Amino acid sequence: MLNFESLEKHNSDILIAEIAALLFNMGKTCVEFWKNYFPNIKGDFSDFEKYWDYYGKEYLFKELVAISPDLKDFILNLEVNLPYKDFKGRTIKAIEIMKAKESTEEISNNVFFRGCENINSGIDKGCPDDDKKIKDALYVANAFGTYKKEILPDELDKSRKNFWKKLHEFLKEKGYYNDTKCNWKYIREWFFKEIKSWYSSILSDNRFPINDVTLWDQVYMCATMFKAVLADMYLVMNDEEKREYIKSCYDNPGNIKWRIMGIQYDKLGLSEKGFKPAQIKWYRDRASEIDDEIKNLLEVDHCLGNEIYRDETGIYFLVGENTGSKNDAALTRLHPDLSEVKRKILEIFKNKSNEFYPAIFLTKPSRGLMNLTYLLEEAKNNFLKAGYPKEFFTFKGIGKSTICPVCGVRAFSASDKKKNKDEDSNICEACEEKTKSRLSIWLGDTGGETIWTSELQDKNGRIALITLKFELGEWLNGNLTNSLLIREEEHDKRLEEMEMFFRTFFSTELVLTERINCLDEIKNNIDALINSINNSEEKGKLGKNINGNLSQVIKIT
């Protein structure tokens, strides 16, 4: 049984951990980290080699003290209570999460870094060649590899110091230095607003072709994955059958999985219901407001996960693997113990429109994000499985003869509207209201988008409607992604290696018989290495150790 109350109780703890996770890569905002691109600019730190030196060598605290001792004490003393593998809570310093792989806390170096950051780097970056680094000016590319913007020195050290100064002013103004119970929902909002705009202009990696991944892209997904795991831990902490999951996250972080939860409804179909531009805009505005409220509900109020995607089929979140009702189904419903979350989602739709409702589905647990494609492809089928409340089917149009052609759920009396010569005479009263505020909105911003077709027509009084659509289906399923040049390889060399592999694999004759002694020697070394491993952490390094050990023993050509 999932303990939803435990998740609610530790809401602030999850938000603090999420904020700390956003800051783990702060060292990449130091000029010294990119010193090859800024040789004439002297940074503030003399002995800086890796991005984690920013925390490991206490450069952070030197910067904070220079701004305010209060700020240093706030960051240094900030504590967070997180699930531990003894199935109890454990209080640690939030700074330990920022240290990531260099931390002495298992939840930071195992769960966060090895379990979340490592897989995220693989998804975002793949395995680029170290010798394919950007030359000359450091720049951010777009998804297709072409130039987007150059990274300037002021976006690094200067912006980082400015960020800490603004944080100090924010905490001081709100009185959080002296408040033992800070409003972490509000603090999180401030962090996301400030960090997103800044981090989106800085690279996470200077190797081609992954120089389209910004620092924000990386830290947001890392924090999202970590947040979903923490929420999952709290949900199962009191379940004797499922709480072994917590211990597994610590001991085997490479086995952590996630689900994608989709709140799906046909936004494009809603827009097509409108007869007039004002009605189309009303539906689009309601859809945007609904998505934003659901985002706040799941990310802040209940801390189940974070948004990773939204389009005309709905809004999608990364959540923990225990949030689904089934593990073996390609798509499943939200766990019954999370019915309160479902109720609140449906309530948002009711309050905003009460004309349409969503289907809520979760993908099968996975270590990657490709399940998102399947969920999107199934969207049209899932639209037919929306969770309409029972009262939705209670018709309240007794005595009225005509169903409204716009909303399709309300009725009006055609005879009552015969005297009304207005163009809205053939729709219900509620849909009439959708168009009435359009003029007042335009009068408040006459320099914006026009509502008058006469301003668009040519000298002959003609106008044309042009629609553009960027179809994402083939990109999301990987077909068009495979058309991009991801990395260059020596074609002839790779072809020879492939040929040798297949010739050896399909050979009916014995191979490497002249090297049998060498193979026995290799086998003995592998056996000895395996027998020398005593704990799970060393087992996690087995592949690297074997590779390094064998390279010293012999090289088979």
Side-chain angles (χ1 to χ4, degrees):
M1 180 177 179
L2 301 185
N3 191 340
F4 186 64
E5 290 73 21
S6 176
L7 181 64
E8 298 292 277
K9 178 182 176 181
H10 293 280
N11 180 280
S12 293
D13 290 312
I14 296 177
L15 294 179
I16 294 172
E18 179 187 20
I19 292 171
L22 288 174
L23 301 175
F24 92 97
N25 253 352
M26 184 68 79
K28 291 186 178 181
T29 67
C30 299
V31 169
E32 288 86 348
F33 184 77
W34 309 102
K35 56 187 175 184
N36 292 337
Y37 299 96
F38 308 107
N40 300 323
I41 298 178
K42 182 176 176 58
D44 297 328
F45 313 127
S46 57
D47 184 23
F48 193 99
E49 296 180 0
K50 303 292 185 179
Y51 71 84
W52 51 80
D53 286 345
Y54 183 68
Y55 294 109
K57 296 182 178 179
E58 299 189 350
Y59 292 137
L60 164 70
F61 302 123
K62 294 178 182 178
E63 283 196 329
L64 298 186
V65 169
I67 296 170
S68 169
D70 288 337
L71 180 60
K72 189 267 292 186
D73 291 339
F74 182 86
I75 298 296
L76 182 62
N77 297 325
L78 184 60
E79 294 182 335
V80 56
N81 185 277
L82 300 176
Y84 194 58
K85 57 184 178 182
D86 62 358
F87 314 127
K88 298 178 182 178
R90 176 184 172 92
T91 299
I92 67 169
K93 299 288 188 181
I95 188 68
E96 293 299 324
I97 299 174
M98 302 178 204
K99 292 180 180 179
K101 66 178 293 187
E102 298 300 305
S103 173
T104 57
E105 295 289 345
E106 286 185 278
I107 197 164
S108 183
N109 59 43
N110 273 16
V111 180
F112 173 52
F113 191 80
R114 291 179 57 200
C116 301
E117 201 285 330
N118 280 359
I119 184 64
N120 178 60
S121 291
I123 294 172
D124 273 347
K125 303 177 182 180
C127 298
D129 293 328
D130 288 335
D131 60 346
K132 300 293 184 182
K133 294 182 179 180
I134 302 172
K135 298 179 181 179
D136 303 323
L138 191 65
Y139 69 95
V140 179
N142 60 26
F144 301 99
T146 56
Y147 177 90
K148 185 177 180 181
K149 71 170 289 293
E150 183 178 350
I151 298 176
L152 303 175
D154 284 350
E155 294 173 306
L156 302 172
D157 285 356
K158 184 177 180 180
S159 294
R160 186 183 64 256
K161 293 176 182 178
N162 189 46
F163 168 79
W164 290 125
K165 287 178 181 177
K166 287 194 287 186
L167 176 60
H168 165 62
E169 293 169 358
F170 169 76
L171 295 174
K172 183 179 179 180
E173 178 187 351
K174 300 301 178 182
Y176 290 144
Y177 282 141
N178 302 316
D179 191 349
T180 56
K181 293 184 178 180
C182 298
N183 184 342
W184 284 103
K185 294 181 180 180
Y186 189 45
I187 294 175
R188 177 190 185 269
E189 181 182 351
W190 184 92
F191 266 94
F192 269 68
K193 178 182 177 182
E194 295 294 332
I195 288 182
K196 183 176 181 180
S197 59
W198 173 34
Y199 273 19
S200 295
S201 65
I202 303 173
L203 271 181
S204 171
D205 202 302
N206 63 339
R207 290 173 293 177
F208 181 84
I210 59 173
N211 60 317
D212 63 329
V213 180
T214 67
L215 198 56
W216 172 252
D217 296 330
Q218 184 187 18
V219 300
Y220 177 75
M221 278 307 299
C222 287
T224 296
M225 297 167 86
F226 188 46
K227 178 180 185 177
V229 173
L230 292 178
D232 230 18
M233 288 182 177
Y234 280 122
L235 286 172
V236 303
M237 185 177 285
N238 297 328
D239 189 318
E240 293 186 0
E241 293 184 4
K242 291 186 176 182
R243 66 184 184 182
E244 284 296 324
Y245 164 81
I246 299 176
K247 192 173 185 298
S248 174
C249 289
Y250 277 88
D251 296 339
N252 301 292
N255 293 332
I256 298 174
K257 295 180 180 180
W258 295 265
R259 294 180 188 266
I260 297 173
M261 179 169 70
I263 292 85
Q264 298 183 298
Y265 60 106
D266 190 3
K267 299 178 189 177
L268 191 60
L270 292 176
S271 299
E272 293 171 347
K273 292 171 65 173
F275 288 173
K276 302 170 65 176
Q279 294 162 354
I280 295 173
K281 186 177 186 303
W282 186 91
Y283 280 110
R284 297 194 69 84
D285 289 345
R286 293 298 84 74
S288 179
E289 291 171 5
I290 286 171
D291 284 351
D292 289 342
E293 288 198 22
I294 294 174
K295 178 182 176 72
N296 186 71
L297 175 72
L298 297 182
E299 292 187 0
V300 181
D301 292 345
H302 296 315
C303 291
L304 276 175
N306 282 349
E307 177 189 357
I308 59 169
Y309 182 74
R310 74 167 76 178
D311 65 4
E312 297 301 328
T313 66
I315 183 169
Y316 300 84
F317 297 83
L318 192 73
V319 295
E321 63 178 291
N322 290 294
T323 53
S325 59
K326 296 180 181 179
N327 288 329
D328 54 351
L331 292 180
T332 186
R333 296 285 189 174
L334 195 64
H335 196 285
D337 293 337
L338 298 177
S339 59
E340 178 66 9
V341 176
K342 178 181 178 181
R343 184 191 68 79
K344 289 185 177 181
I345 291 174
L346 296 181
E347 188 175 353
I348 290 173
F349 279 82
K350 179 180 179 180
N351 294 337
K352 285 294 178 181
S353 170
N354 201 28
E355 293 181 16
F356 52 91
Y357 286 85
I360 303 174
F361 282 97
L362 292 87
T363 62
K364 189 175 182 179
S366 171
R367 288 280 288 167
L369 296 177
M370 289 307 294
N371 282 348
L372 174 61
T373 302
Y374 180 72
L375 189 54
L376 293 173
E377 289 174 345
E378 289 294 308
K380 291 183 179 179
N381 294 327
N382 294 341
F383 292 156
L384 303 175
K385 305 170 186 177
Y388 288 94
K390 292 181 180 179
E391 58 268 22
F392 178 83
F393 299 100
T394 302
F395 184 65
K396 298 179 180 179
I398 304 299
K400 299 179 180 180
S401 58
T402 308
I403 298 295
C404 176
V406 175
C407 65
V409 297
R410 286 179 286 264
F412 66 94
S413 175
S415 59
D416 292 342
K417 292 198 171 190
K418 283 184 177 179
K419 298 179 180 179
N420 187 356
K421 297 182 180 180
D422 187 83
E423 57 185 349
D424 289 334
S425 60
N426 291 320
I427 60 177
C428 67
E429 286 79 3
C431 288
E432 282 185 37
E433 292 295 325
K434 296 173 184 177
T435 64
K436 288 184 177 180
S437 62
R438 195 178 182 217
L439 179 59
S440 59
I441 294 174
W442 175 78
L443 289 172
D445 182 22
T446 55
E449 195 176 79
T450 184
I451 64 172
W452 310 108
T453 57
S454 59
E455 294 183 6
L456 303 175
Q457 65 189 22
D458 62 12
K459 62 181 182 181
N460 297 316
R462 299 175 300 181
I463 61 173
L465 176 63
I466 302 175
T467 60
L468 301 174
K469 182 181 180 182
F470 184 69
E471 180 57 58
L472 291 175
E474 293 298 304
W475 287 105
L476 292 170
N477 65 23
N479 289 340
L480 287 179
T481 305
N482 292 334
S483 68
L484 298 176
L485 175 63
I486 303 301
R487 55 189 292 173
E488 292 183 273
E489 298 286 355
E490 296 182 26
H491 177 266
D492 293 337
K493 180 181 177 181
R494 295 300 179 208
L495 199 59
E496 288 180 11
E497 291 176 352
M498 292 170 61
E499 181 181 1
M500 177 61 70
F501 169 78
F502 284 113
R503 285 185 181 276
T504 303
F505 186 79
F506 292 110
S507 175
T508 58
E509 300 178 1
L510 293 176
V511 295
L512 297 175
T513 53
E514 70 279 7
R515 302 287 182 93
I516 191 67
N517 293 333
C518 295
L519 296 177
D520 287 339
E521 186 178 351
I522 292 174
K523 179 181 180 299
N524 293 334
N525 276 276
I526 292 176
D527 290 340
L529 183 60
I530 293 175
N531 292 333
S532 68
I533 296 175
N534 298 320
N535 57 60
S536 59
E537 183 175 355
E538 291 299 321
K539 287 181 181 179
K541 303 175 183 177
L542 179 60
K544 185 181 294 186
N545 287 342
I546 289 178
N547 182 55
N549 188 283
L550 295 185
S551 64
Q552 298 172 10
V553 177
I554 189 169
K555 181 179 180 182
I556 298 180
T557 58

